[in-house]
Amino acid sequence: MKSPGAKAKRMPRAVREQQMLDAAVRTFGQRGYRAASMDEIAELAGVSKPLVYLYLNSKEELFTACIRREAAALVAAVRDAVEADAAGPGTPADRQLWAGLTAFFTHTAENPDGWAVLHQQARTHGEPFAAEVAAMRAEIAAFVTGLIGEAAREAHQDPAFGDRDVSGLAQALVGAAESLAQWANETPGVSAKEAAATLMNFAWAGLGSLMDGRRWSPSR
Amino acid sequence: MKSPGAKAKRMPRAVREQQMLDAAVRTFGQRGYRAASMDEIAELAGVSKPLVYLYLNSKEELFTACIRREAAALVAAVRDAVEADAAGPGTPADRQLWAGLTAFFTHTAENPDGWAVLHQQARTHGEPFAAEVAAMRAEIAAFVTGLIGEAAREAHQDPAFGDRDVSGLAQALVGAAESLAQWANETPGVSAKEAAATLMNFAWAGLGSLMDGRRWSPSR
């Protein structure tokens, strides 16, 4: 979304708005919601502060717009990767999960400020921000629930393995992914691939298998 | 910590303070930090509002005291259960993990307001509250890292399975447990035992094994 400064004054509103959001996500993600100033965001976006207010109304609305944009981008990245991977019929569930996790960790690693906005800032400054990110989380959990449920139904007909087990597993997986993404972004040298592999081992092979030295591998 | 109201005026300070904290945890957990009023907390504790301010200074300090008390109780519940279970030498790692998870989910189920304070309220109202709960989380993650690391060293000498893998797995497990505890408290009819079993299946047997109908069981 970055363009040469020389053309700044002729840019259409939509492009300019994205530049403001880029600057805002970076500032909110790195400084935190409270410490971030509208002056700083305007300067980073290369526009005047009144223009930021004209387009986004207030710091609250600007922050809400950041949450929505970053949430939509993250959900789309995961969904697209799983759907691309599952293009052929009968794609095994572990392949689909691996595709989704890899996309999740790649996206959060490539957009650390966006992830900080979603996972830390949006949840630590009350409403209405927490509700925005809770809605995104519910959407991802529902998507993962669908994936695991489909896999479970294909794999076995255990009647004791019901919808509630599937929901619980999806919640566990989403919580594990959130936690690992934060850890990966805070720990120098941990790559997205490594974080995805850690969770895949955890989720698929299971700790028990890991302890016996058996690992899940994407190429098995 | 509840005592008969008749003796309210003769109670020692420590007991009275715990009653205030009981009332505060309940109010903060159910209404949220911002909506909770000091009037309501004082009334629920059966004391005057000035007495609450005399003992705890401010709403911020009262909330911080709630976070600290609930965090310490949760950490102690998990630690004690694991240590009691590991009283004999050579307790298998899966038994210790099961003991810890069962204690975690039992404690969060029995103290839903305390868990709401820690997991939701403390994290959604900025600093210094978020830092308090982050410190507790780091303590639990370090404890789980120790548990998994010990198990890994006992089980196999895979040199590729290093400290970072263990840290990552601990982060995944802690995130999964947090997510499941919230889900269990919000979902009618999900018991602590059920939540612990779901996570144990997820963490130990692994989703892959689950899909084949193989489940981890505490009595195996």
Side-chain angles (χ1 to χ4, degrees):
Chain A
M1 286 297 165
K2 296 274 157 57
S3 305
K7 286 192 172 175
K9 280 178 182 154
R10 299 281 184 81
M11 248 173 256
R13 177 171 174 145
V15 175
R16 187 93 88 181
E17 211 169 286
Q18 288 306 312
Q19 286 187 333
M20 290 179 193
L21 290 178
D22 288 341
V25 166
R26 193 161 146 197
T27 310
F28 287 134
Q30 293 186 2
R31 290 218 191 287
Y33 175 62
R34 279 194 198 148
S37 78
M38 295 296 269
D39 284 301
E40 196 178 358
I41 292 167
E43 197 188 324
L44 190 60
V47 299
S48 69
K49 194 161 76 165
L51 195 67
V52 180
Y53 280 103
L54 181 70
Y55 280 15
L56 278 319
N57 287 323
S58 65
K59 189 177 174 183
E60 288 70 24
E61 286 188 39
L62 176 59
F63 189 49
T64 303
C66 289
I67 297 170
R68 288 192 183 151
R69 190 184 78 166
E70 296 305 310
L74 177 57
V75 170
V78 172
R79 211 178 262 282
D80 290 353
V82 173
E83 279 162 14
D85 198 73
T91 307
D94 62 342
R95 286 289 331 174
Q96 289 189 51
L97 189 59
W98 174 246
L101 289 178
T102 304
F104 176 80
F105 288 107
T106 302
H107 187 88
T108 54
E110 287 174 355
N111 301 276
D113 298 329
W115 178 241
V117 163
L118 292 176
H119 186 62
Q120 307 222 272
Q121 296 304 319
R123 304 205 300 184
T124 55
H125 293 96
E127 300 301 348
F129 314 127
E132 289 285 342
V133 83
M136 172 203 74
R137 194 184 191 279
E139 192 181 341
I140 290 188
F143 181 63
V144 173
T145 300
L147 253 182
I148 297 178
E150 202 182 310
R153 278 188 301 277
E154 278 172 14
H156 63 101
Q157 269 76 38
D158 182 353
F161 193 82
D163 288 349
R164 214 157 68 183
D165 293 278
V166 171
S167 297
L169 287 170
Q171 289 290 335
L173 187 58
V174 169
E178 289 172 332
S179 179
L180 264 176
Q182 184 178 354
W183 173 79
N185 280 2
E186 286 169 356
T187 309
V190 175
S191 69
K193 208 84 187 175
E194 198 178 342
T198 295
L199 187 49
M200 197 64 203
N201 268 308
F202 180 66
W204 205 266
L207 273 175
S209 306
L210 270 182
M211 294 303 158
D212 294 333
R214 283 178 282 120
R215 286 175 170 249
W216 182 91
S217 137
S219 56
R220 69 174 183 173
Chain B
M1 284 298 167
K2 296 273 156 56
S3 304
K7 287 192 173 177
K9 280 178 182 154
R10 299 281 184 81
M11 249 174 254
R13 174 168 177 148
V15 176
R16 187 91 88 181
E17 211 169 287
Q18 289 306 313
Q19 285 187 333
M20 291 180 193
L21 290 178
D22 287 342
V25 167
R26 194 162 146 196
T27 310
F28 288 134
Q30 292 186 2
R31 290 217 192 287
Y33 174 62
R34 277 192 199 148
S37 78
M38 294 296 268
D39 284 301
E40 196 179 357
I41 291 167
E43 198 188 324
L44 190 61
V47 299
S48 69
K49 193 161 75 165
L51 195 67
V52 180
Y53 279 104
L54 181 70
Y55 281 17
L56 278 316
N57 287 323
S58 65
K59 189 177 174 183
E60 289 70 26
E61 286 189 37
L62 176 58
F63 189 49
T64 302
C66 288
I67 296 170
R68 288 192 182 152
R69 191 184 77 166
E70 297 305 309
L74 177 57
V75 170
V78 172
R79 211 178 263 283
D80 291 353
V82 173
E83 279 163 12
D85 198 74
T91 307
D94 62 342
R95 287 286 334 170
Q96 289 190 52
L97 189 59
W98 174 246
L101 289 178
T102 303
F104 176 80
F105 288 107
T106 302
H107 187 88
T108 53
E110 286 174 354
N111 301 276
D113 297 330
W115 178 242
V117 163
L118 292 176
H119 186 62
Q120 307 222 273
Q121 295 304 320
R123 303 204 302 183
T124 55
H125 293 95
E127 301 300 349
F129 314 127
E132 289 285 342
V133 83
M136 173 203 75
R137 195 183 192 278
E139 191 180 341
I140 290 188
F143 182 63
V144 174
T145 300
L147 253 181
I148 297 178
E150 202 182 309
R153 280 188 299 277
E154 278 171 13
H156 62 102
Q157 269 75 39
D158 181 353
F161 193 82
D163 289 349
R164 215 158 67 182
D165 295 279
V166 171
S167 297
L169 286 170
Q171 289 291 335
L173 187 58
V174 169
E178 289 172 332
S179 179
L180 264 176
Q182 184 180 353
W183 173 78
N185 281 2
E186 285 170 356
T187 309
V190 175
S191 69
K193 207 85 186 174
E194 199 178 340
T198 296
L199 187 49
M200 197 65 201
N201 267 309
F202 181 67
W204 205 267
L207 274 176
S209 307
L210 272 181
M211 295 304 158
D212 295 332
R214 283 178 281 122
R215 284 173 171 251
W216 182 91
S217 137
S219 56
R220 67 174 184 173

